[in-house]
C-alpha cells in the first residue's frame, strides 16, 4: 500500500499524546512526501495546544540520516548496508549459537515506553516464547517504576492518573512534587489554571523551574527542599495534618488500612525537625498542609490533588516517597472522590501501555504478574504454549545492564526503542558492557549513539508510518494512524519480530497486522488488571469518529463504556481498602561530603526529548539549544570562580561531564542542574548514580554528590 494521506493521530513524544493532524504534501517518491504539515487538533488533554517539539515533530520523518536499510558490521568493523534477509539471517544464526552455547538466558531484550501497545506486546511475547528468556526489561524502569510499585502496593492497580487530566481544572489545590510540566508537557499547564487562580498551586522542586514560577507568583507556594529530601517534606505534611486534626477521619476509617502505623511513624517528623533536614521552613510546611486540607472535599473544598513526577521518583527512596505522597492523599480523603486524588504523571508516549503488556521483567500482558500461576495459564493459552514453558521473572533494567557481558550475564542484547548510551545511569559503565557483548542488535529509526555500537542495526518504521495504539498518561487508549510510507527498506518491528521468530523455529505465530495484534493483546489482557478485552481498533476508531469520550481501561467487554475514574466504589485490593504503609527517610545513596560537596540534579528542557536521538535531528530544536549546560547559583559560581558561559567540570565517583555554566538565582546555591539530552563530554549520565530503589529497581538519576570546578579546556 502506498500512502501519503492526511491522518488524525497523536504526537510521537510524551505521554500527554496531544492530538494532531498530519498533512503530507506530495513529494519526490510516491508515498514519501518531503514535507509533512502538523496541525493541532482539539482533544481533552491538549485542547488544541502543542509544544514546540510537537509542532516540529514531522522533521524526524525526513531526517537526512534516517535509517533506511539494515546495517551489518563487516570484517573491517564498519556498519555496512545489507539486505533484510542477510541481516535477519545473521541475527537468527548468532542468537541460536549463543543460546546453544550459553543457555536461553544468554539473550536479553530491552524495550521502550515509546513503542505502541502492539509492538510492546509482541516484544514481550517474542522474548517469552521464541527466545524463552526471562531477561526482558525496558526503559520504563527508569521512568515509572517507583510510582508503579507504590501505586500497586497502595491501590492494587497502577494507572498513572486514575482520573481524566481535565479533572484537575476544578480543584482548589494541586501539590506537584518533582514535576516540571511547564517544560515537559506545556499544554497540560492549562489544567492547573484553576488551582493557580485559587492560590492552591504548590510546586516542590530544588529549582525555581518554569512550573515552580507559576506557583510562587500568587498565593500558591514553591517549596525548594534540599535535593533528595522530599520524603521528609511529605512526612512533615502528614504529621501536621494529623497534629492539627485536618485529616478526613471518616474516609480513613472506611476506605483505608494501616493508618495508625503511619501516624505513629510520622510523629517524629514535626515541622521544625523536618526543616533541619529538608530546609523548607516549618511555617511554609504548615501553610501548605492547611491549604491542602482546606481544598479537600471533607472540609467543603472543591477538591485537591497530590501529583508526583520524576523529580521525587528517580531516587533510591522513590517508592517510599510515592508511598508517603499517597498516604498524604489518603489522609486527606482524596483518592476515589470525583475532583480529587493522587496521580503520577507518566512520561513517555506509551509509558502507560508500555508497562501493561509484558515488556517488564516481572509482567505478562494485562498487567499480570509473571509469577502468578493463574496469569501464566491464561496467557499461555492465548499464545498456544504450555504454561511451564514460560520463563519466570527476569532482572530489572539496571541489574540487567550491569550483568551484560559478565561471566553469568547475557551475551546478546536486542534493543527496541531506547538510546542507553545517553540515557542509562552511569552510562560509561553501561557502554562498556554493551561493547563487551557477543551480539548487539539495535532497531531504531535513526543512527542513535547506541545503534552506532551495534553489530546489526535494523531500520524500523516510526509513528506517522504505522498503525497502532498508545495509552496516554490518563489510561486512555488512543489510535496512532499512518500518514505516509516508511522510507527505503524500513519495516515495522512487528514484521521484524515475526521474521526472526520464523527463522528461529518459533513455537508460536507472531501476527504482523497491528489490528490483529491488538485483538490478541485484548484477549491476553482479559481478566487482568489492565483489561483491554472490550477494545479493538475498530471500536476506538468508531468512538473517536462519533466524538466519544475516549476509552479508558479497564474495558472488560465490548459493551463496557470504559473507566475514566477508578476507585469510586473501592480499591482493587483484597479488602477493598487502600493500604497505608509507614516509610522513613534514609537520604540519597551518594550524598554530599567533603570531596563532593554539591548536589547534582538532572532533568529536561522544553526543546529536547530524552536521549535527544529524535529532537537533536530537528533543526529548529537544535538551533534553540545545541548542548548541555550546568545551571548554578551566582553565589556558588562566585565561590568557585566560574563565570557565565565558562566551561564547568562536574565530577562524581563515576565520572565527569563538562558543559558551559548558566548562572541563575533560580537554583539552590548548594545544587547544580544538568539536562541529560546529549552524548559526549556534556553527557550527565557519565556522572549519575546507578544505585537503585530496593522495591522498584529505579535508578537514582535525580540526585548525587559532585565536585564542581572550572574546566581547564573549553566546553
Ligand atoms: N521537553 C521534554 N518533555 C518531556 C520529556 C523530555 O525528555 N523532554 N520526557 C518525557 C518523559 S519520559 C518524562 S519521564 C517526563 C518527565 O517530566 P518531569 O518529571 O516534569 O521532568 P524532569 O525534568 O525529569 O524532572 C522534573 C523536576 O524535578 C526536579 N528535581 C530534581 N531533583 C529533585 C529532587 O530531589 N526533588 C524534587 N522535588 N525535584 C527534583 C528537577 O529540577 C525538575 O525540574 O517528561 C516527559 N516530557
Ligand atoms: N540523568 C537522567 N537520565 C535519565 C532521566 C533523567 O531524568 N535524568 N530520565 C530517564 C527517563 S524518565 C527515561 S523515559 C529515559 C529515556 O531515555 P531512552 O530510553 O534513551 O529514550 P529515547 O531517547 O526516547 O530513546 C528512544 C529511541 O528509540 C527510537 N525510536 C523511536 N520510535 C521507535 C520505534 O517505534 N521503534 C524503535 N525500535 N525505536 C524507536 C528513537 O529514535 C530513540 O533512539 O531516560 C532516562 N534517563
Ligand atoms: S506536550 Fe508532549 S505530546 Fe504534546 S506536543 Fe509536546 S511533546 Fe507532544
Ligand atoms: Mo520517562
Amino acid at each position: 500500500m502506498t500512502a501519503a494521506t492526511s491522518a488524525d493521530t497523536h504526537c510521537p513524544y510524551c505521554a500527554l499524546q496531544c492530538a494532531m493532524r498530519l498533512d503530507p504534501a506530495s513529494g519526490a517518491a510516491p508515498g514519501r512526501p518531503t514535507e509533512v504539515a502538523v496541525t493541532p487538533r482539539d482533544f481533552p488533554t491538549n485542547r488544541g495546544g502543542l509544544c514546540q517539539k510537537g509542532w516540529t515533530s514531522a522533521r524526524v520523518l525526513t531526517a537526512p540520516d534516517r535509517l533506511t536499510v539494515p546495517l551489518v558490521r563487516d570484517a573491517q568493523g564498519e556498519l555496512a548496508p545489507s539486505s533484510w534477509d542477510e541481516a535477519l539471517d545473521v541475527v537468527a544464526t548468532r542468537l541460536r549459537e549463543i543460546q546453544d552455547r550459553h543457555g536461553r538466558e544468554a539473550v536479553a531484550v530491552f524495550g521502550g515506553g515509546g513503542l505502541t501497545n502492539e509492538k510492546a506486546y509482541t516484544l514481550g511475547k517474542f522474548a517469552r516464547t521464541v527466545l524463552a528468556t526471562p531477561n526482558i526489561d525496558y526503559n520504563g524502569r527508569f521512568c515509572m517504576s517507583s510510582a508503579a510499585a507504590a501505586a500497586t502496593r497502595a491501590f492494587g492497580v497502577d494507572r498513572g492518573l486514575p482520573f481524566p487530566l481535565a479533572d484537575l481544572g476544578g480543584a482548589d489545590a494541586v501539590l506537584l512534587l518533582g514535576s516540571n510540566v511547564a517544560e515537559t508537557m506545556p499544554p497540560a499547564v492549562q489544567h492547573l489554571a484553576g488551582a493557580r487562580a485559587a492560590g492552591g498551586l504548590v510546586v516542590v522542586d530544588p529549582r525555581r523551574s518554569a512550573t515552580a514560577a507559576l506557583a510562587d507568583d500568587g498565593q500558591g507556594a514553591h517549596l525548594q527542599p534540599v535535593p533528595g529530601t522530599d520524603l521528609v517534606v511529605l512526612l512533615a505534611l502528614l504529621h501536621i495534618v494529623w497534629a492539627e486534626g485536618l485529616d478526613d477521619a471518616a474516609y480513613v476509617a472506611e476506605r483505608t488500612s494501616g493508618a495508625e502505623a503511619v501516624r505513629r511513624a510520622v510523629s517524629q517528623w514535626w515541622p521544625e525537625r523536618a526543616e533541619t533536614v529538608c530546609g523548607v521552613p516549618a511555617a511554609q510546611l504548615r501553610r501548605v498542609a492547611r491549604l491542602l486540607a482546606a481544598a479537600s472535599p471533607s472540609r467543603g473544598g472543591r477538591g485537591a490533588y497530590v501529583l508526583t513526577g520524576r523529580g521525587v521518583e528517580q531516587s533510591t527512596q522513590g517508592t517510599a516517597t510515592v508511598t508517603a505522597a499517597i498516604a498524604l492523599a489518603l489522609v486527606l480523603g482524596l483518592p476515589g472522590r470525583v475532583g480529587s486524588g493522587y496521580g503520577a504523571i507518566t512520561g513517555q508516549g506509551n509509558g502507560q501501555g508500555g508497562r501493561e503488556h509484558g515488556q517488564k521483567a516481572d509482567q505478562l500482558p494485562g498487567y499480570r504478574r509473571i509469577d502468578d500461576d493463574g496469569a501464566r495459564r491464561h496467557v499461555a493459552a492465548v499464545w498456544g504454549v504450555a504454561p511451564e514453558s514460560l520463563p519466570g521473572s527476569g532482572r530489572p533494567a539496571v541489574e540487567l545492564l550491569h550483568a551484560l557481558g559478565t561471566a553469568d550475564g547475557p551475551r546478546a542484547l536486542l534493543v527496541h526503542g531506547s538510546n542507553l548510551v545517553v540515557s542509562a545511569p552511569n552510562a560509561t559503565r553501561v557502554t562498556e558492557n554493551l561493547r563487551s557483548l557477543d551480539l548487539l542488535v539495535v532497531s531504531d529509526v535513526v543512527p542513535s549513539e547506541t545503534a552506532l555500537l551495534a553489530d546489526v542495526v535494523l531500520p524500523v518504521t516510526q509513528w506517522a508510518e504505522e498503525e497502532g495504539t498508545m495509552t496516554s498518561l490518563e489510561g486512555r487508549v488512543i489510535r496512532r494512524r499512518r500518514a505516509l510510507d516508511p522510507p527505503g527498506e524500513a519495516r515495522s518491528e512487528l514484521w521484524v519480530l515475526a521474521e526472526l521468530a520464523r527463522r528461529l523455529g518459533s513455537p508460536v505465530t507472531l501476527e504482523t497486522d497491528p489490528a490483529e495484534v491488538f485483538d490478541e493483546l485484548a484477549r491476553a489482557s482479559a481478566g487482568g488488571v489492565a483489561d483491554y478485552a472490550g477494545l479493538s481498533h475498530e471500536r476506538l476508531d468508531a468512538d473517536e469518529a462519533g466524538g466519544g469520550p475516549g476509552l479508558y481501561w479497564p474495558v472488560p467487554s465490548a459493551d463496557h463504556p470504559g473507566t475514566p475514574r477508578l476507585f469510586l466504589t473501592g480499591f482493587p485490593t483484597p479488602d477493598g481498602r487502600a493500604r497505608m504503609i509507614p516509610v522513613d527517610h534514609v537520604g540519597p545513596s551518594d550524598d554530599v561530603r567533603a570531596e563532593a560537596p554539591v548536589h547534582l540534579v538532572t532533568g529536561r528542557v522544553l526543546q529536547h526529548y530524552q536521549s535527544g536521538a529524535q529532537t537533536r535531528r530537528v533543526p529548529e530544536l537544535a538551533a534553540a539549544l545545541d548542548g548541555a549546560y550546568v545551571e548554578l547559583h551566582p553565589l556558588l559560581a562566585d565561590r568557585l570562580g566560574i563565570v557565565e558561559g565558562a566551561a564547568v567540570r562536574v565530577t562524581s565517583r563515576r565520572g565527569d561531564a563538562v558543559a558551559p555554566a548558566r548562572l541563575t538565582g533560580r537554583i539552590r546555591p548548594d545544587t547544580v542542574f544538568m539536562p541529560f539530552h546529549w552524548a559526549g563530554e556534556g553527557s550527565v549520565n557519565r556522572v549519575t548514580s546507578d544505585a537503585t530503589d530496593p522495591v522498584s529497581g529505579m535508578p537514582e538519576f535525580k540526585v548525587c554528590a559532585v565536585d564542581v570546578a572550572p574546566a581547564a579546556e573549553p566546553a
Side-chain angles (χ1 to χ4, degrees):
M1 180 184 77
T2 294
T5 172
S6 297
D8 283 349
T9 189
H10 295 261
C11 177
Y13 301 120
C14 84
L16 196 59
Q17 285 296 292
C18 296
M20 53 169 62
R21 181 183 175 81
L22 299 180
D23 289 298
S26 56
R32 279 306 291 181
T34 44
E35 287 279 332
V36 179
V38 173
T39 331
R41 290 189 293 132
D42 194 33
F43 192 66
T45 54
N46 64 309
R47 293 189 180 143
L50 291 179
C51 79
Q52 198 185 357
K53 296 187 301 303
W55 280 109
T56 55
S57 53
R59 296 273 190 213
V60 186
L61 296 166
T62 50
D65 61 349
R66 179 71 196 276
L67 293 170
T68 56
V69 285
L71 304 171
V72 177
R73 207 167 283 282
D74 63 19
Q76 286 71 47
E78 301 293 328
L79 281 171
S82 86
S83 68
W84 271 107
D85 272 336
E86 186 193 337
L88 293 170
D89 285 346
V90 168
V91 174
T93 307
R94 295 182 64 184
L95 287 177
R96 194 176 302 117
E97 277 168 14
I98 289 166
Q99 287 196 316
D100 285 349
R101 186 168 322 155
H102 303 283
R104 291 288 195 176
E105 305 195 358
V107 175
V109 178
F110 201 91
L115 303 178
T116 58
N117 287 317
E118 292 79 357
K119 289 178 171 185
Y121 168 80
T122 304
L123 195 62
K125 178 179 176 184
F126 176 82
R128 269 60 174 257
T129 58
V130 181
L131 298 174
T133 178
N135 285 322
I136 172 167
D137 212 46
Y138 78 126
N139 68 5
R141 183 74 65 177
F142 298 163
C143 186
M144 298 310 297
S145 60
S146 288
T152 299
R153 203 161 72 167
F155 300 133
V157 61
D158 151 42
R159 199 183 86 187
L161 300 184
F163 44 78
L165 180 68
D167 279 8
L168 293 181
D172 278 336
V174 175
L175 171 63
L176 205 50
L177 296 132
S179 160
N180 185 14
V181 277
E183 292 205 63
T184 54
M185 297 188 180
V189 167
Q190 57 192 312
H191 302 290
L192 300 174
R196 199 177 163 210
L201 181 60
V202 181
V203 176
V204 185
D205 197 310
R207 302 188 301 141
R208 185 170 182 264
S209 64
T211 312
L214 297 174
D216 71 0
D217 64 353
Q219 297 302 302
H222 171 208
L223 312 189
Q224 205 165 3
V226 175
T229 65
D230 302 273
L231 183 48
V232 172
V233 172
L234 285 162
L235 296 173
L237 292 176
L238 278 161
H239 176 102
I240 298 162
V241 168
W242 264 307
E244 299 193 359
L246 304 172
D247 54 312
D248 185 345
Y251 173 100
V252 171
E254 195 188 322
R255 301 205 56 182
T256 72
S257 65
E260 187 47 30
V262 175
R263 196 189 57 75
R264 275 200 306 274
V266 301
S267 63
Q268 56 168 331
W269 285 109
W270 61 94
E272 282 72 16
R273 176 175 176 234
E275 178 178 340
T276 65
V277 179
C278 70
V280 178
Q284 206 180 21
L285 291 167
R286 287 200 173 86
R287 188 166 84 77
V288 167
R290 289 170 196 157
L291 175 161
L292 289 172
S296 301
S298 68
R299 313 192 91 76
R302 286 193 313 149
Y305 287 91
V306 177
L307 303 177
T308 57
R310 299 312 82 75
V312 299
E313 297 165 7
Q314 290 172 324
S315 146
T316 48
Q317 44 189 18
T319 306
T321 305
V322 175
T323 298
I326 292 174
L328 178 64
L330 290 169
V331 168
L332 293 169
L334 310 180
R337 276 194 166 131
V338 178
S340 289
Y342 162 79
I345 303 173
T346 294
Q348 298 182 86
N350 197 28
Q352 181 69 50
R355 62 190 195 262
E356 298 165 0
H357 300 299
Q359 53 176 340
K360 201 171 176 190
D362 53 356
Q363 280 174 203
L364 289 173
Y367 222 127
R368 290 185 150 92
R369 291 177 57 112
I370 203 164
D371 59 3
D372 168 359
D373 283 336
R376 295 169 67 85
R377 277 197 302 277
H378 174 84
V379 174
V382 174
W383 289 349
V385 297
E388 322 71 80
S389 72
L390 298 177
S393 192
R395 309 180 206 223
V398 176
E399 210 182 291
L400 178 66
L401 296 173
H402 286 178
L404 295 179
T406 61
D408 62 343
R411 314 257 6 129
L413 180 71
L414 309 180
V415 179
H416 293 260
S418 182
N419 186 9
L420 291 161
V421 168
V422 180
S423 60
N426 194 359
T428 310
R429 174 175 180 187
V430 169
T431 306
E432 280 164 14
N433 285 4
L434 292 173
R435 287 185 200 280
S436 75
L437 289 169
D438 295 343
L439 178 68
L440 174 63
V441 182
V442 175
S443 294
D444 208 306
V445 301
V446 291
S448 71
E449 285 75 11
T450 308
L452 291 175
L453 287 186
D455 301 291
V456 180
V457 178
L458 302 176
V460 293
T461 52
Q462 60 172 309
W463 160 67
E465 299 153 358
E466 63 186 20
E467 297 281 329
T469 59
M470 309 282 277
T471 304
S472 78
L473 77 170
E474 21 169 46
R476 189 200 297 253
V477 186
I478 57 181
R479 284 276 280 115
R480 168 179 275 195
R481 295 194 184 85
R482 172 167 163 148
L484 64 161
D485 287 346
E489 297 286 309
R491 296 287 180 92
S492 165
E493 263 147 321
L494 298 178
W495 178 85
V496 173
L497 293 169
E499 284 296 308
L500 282 177
R502 193 168 62 75
R503 284 172 168 77
L504 289 163
S506 167
V508 301
T509 313
L510 296 184
E511 298 296 341
T512 56
D513 174 41
E516 281 172 29
V517 175
F518 188 90
D519 290 345
E520 187 186 306
L521 173 164
R523 287 198 301 281
S525 77
V529 172
D531 192 332
Y532 285 43
L535 293 177
S536 61
H537 282 200
E538 208 181 357
R539 183 169 176 201
L540 292 166
D541 288 340
D543 179 76
E544 191 179 324
L551 288 152
Y552 300 76
W553 68 258
V555 193
S557 62
D559 56 3
H560 189 283
T563 317
R565 295 178 188 84
L566 295 173
F567 316 144
L568 295 181
T569 55
F571 297 94
T573 53
D575 62 2
R577 291 162 177 264
R579 290 185 206 104
M580 291 173 64
I581 296 158
V583 287
D584 204 8
H585 176 70
V586 183
S589 63
D590 179 14
D591 211 350
V592 287
R593 55 193 179 276
E595 326 82 76
V598 179
H599 303 278
L600 168 69
V601 303
T602 70
R604 295 162 164 80
V605 298
L606 175 68
Q607 294 90 355
H608 287 282
Y609 190 66
Q610 315 273 63
S611 71
Q614 290 151 290
T615 48
R616 281 186 268 128
R617 290 178 162 80
V618 175
E620 291 91 329
L621 302 178
L625 188 61
D626 69 352
Y629 57 86
V630 180
E631 187 176 292
L632 77 173
H633 196 279
L635 288 174
L636 179 63
D638 194 36
R639 183 160 66 75
L640 300 173
I642 292 168
V643 295
E644 176 74 23
V648 180
R649 184 180 304 280
V650 174
T651 310
S652 75
R653 284 189 176 129
R654 278 113 357 230
D656 62 353
V658 177
R662 269 204 196 175
L663 273 52
T664 169
R666 290 190 297 264
I667 190 165
R668 292 176 57 96
D670 57 2
T671 302
V672 296
F673 167 83
M674 288 183 75
F676 78 101
H677 310 292
W678 292 271
E681 70 167 3
S683 176
V684 75
N685 280 326
R686 291 153 48 128
V687 182
T688 53
S689 164
D690 50 7
T692 56
D693 179 296
V695 182
S696 65
M698 170 71 90
E700 195 148 61
F701 280 122
K702 276 293 182 280
V703 193
C704 73
V706 292
D707 183 39
V708 179
E713 69 269 39

